[in-house]
Amino acid sequence: MTKNILLPLDPFHPLNLKALAFLKEGVSPEIPMVANPGSSNDPYLKQGSHPDVVQRLWDVINASLPQDSRCLVFGSPALIHPKKGIILGFCSGSNYFLRLPSAAIIQAEEKGAKKVIEFTIDEPLDIHRDLGADWVCGSWWEGEVAGCQTIFNQV
């Protein structure tokens, strides 16, 4: 699982701005913006996300992509396009979020994907407002994988 090549992340690309703002909130300044999965001794259990969502993002969705896109963004398991530096997905707590083409977002929401995530102490996350219209909360829907493959080739 150790990755030797640090993926590029474009912190100024408009497609990354909202996701980076969300991921950076409340994170210690010592945590790097981007790091290799191998920089954590157990990224499935010790990076603040449920291991099932990390497994879905890294072992299922990443495995379907043409290139390994796994990394940590502000300590959260994530996928970054390895050439363009665009965030494709990330984990947060018991959720994972994916950048998908609009047709796939419509289908995912028809299948019950959440549009708003309620937190116990923080303000709710309105996915389209807070992350962007091209984001959806993952829901283990089979079309997510094809949608991620499409967005990988489109960004």
Side-chain angles (χ1 to χ4, degrees):
M1 173 65 134
T2 302
K3 195 163 173 43
N4 296 323
I5 299 170
L6 186 62
L7 294 177
L9 174 59
D10 184 346
F12 305 108
H13 196 290
L15 292 176
N16 287 338
L17 297 178
K18 288 184 176 185
L20 284 172
F22 175 79
L23 289 165
K24 185 177 182 179
E25 192 166 325
V27 173
S28 169
E30 295 86 38
I31 303 295
M33 182 174 61
V34 64
N36 293 327
S39 66
S40 169
N41 65 0
D42 192 349
Y44 288 82
L45 292 173
K46 296 185 178 176
Q47 295 307 123
S49 295
H50 194 282
D52 288 348
V53 298
V54 180
Q55 187 273 334
R56 174 71 175 167
L57 189 70
W58 278 1
D59 298 349
V60 176
I61 294 171
N62 179 67
S64 75
L65 300 177
Q67 292 179 270
D68 188 2
S69 301
R70 295 169 299 154
C71 66
L72 299 171
V73 176
F74 290 114
S76 294
L79 299 176
I80 296 176
H81 192 286
K83 291 188 174 131
K84 308 244 175 114
I86 306 295
I87 300 170
L88 304 174
F90 64 89
C91 299
S92 179
S94 59
N95 297 293
Y96 64 101
F97 300 91
L98 302 169
R99 183 184 305 277
L100 295 176
S102 57
I105 289 175
I106 292 167
Q107 292 175 334
E109 290 174 348
E110 287 172 354
K111 299 276 185 190
K114 298 179 203 172
K115 296 178 186 180
V116 175
I117 306 296
E118 299 287 340
F119 299 108
T120 53
I121 54 174
D122 292 328
E123 292 293 315
L125 171 70
D126 179 313
I127 295 165
H128 292 268
R129 180 194 69 211
D130 299 333
L131 296 178
D134 54 345
W135 285 93
V136 68
C137 182
S139 60
W140 278 265
W141 168 60
E142 67 278 356
E144 292 173 347
V145 173
C148 285
Q149 292 167 336
T150 299
I151 208 75
F152 184 95
N153 293 318
Q154 287 179 350
V155 295

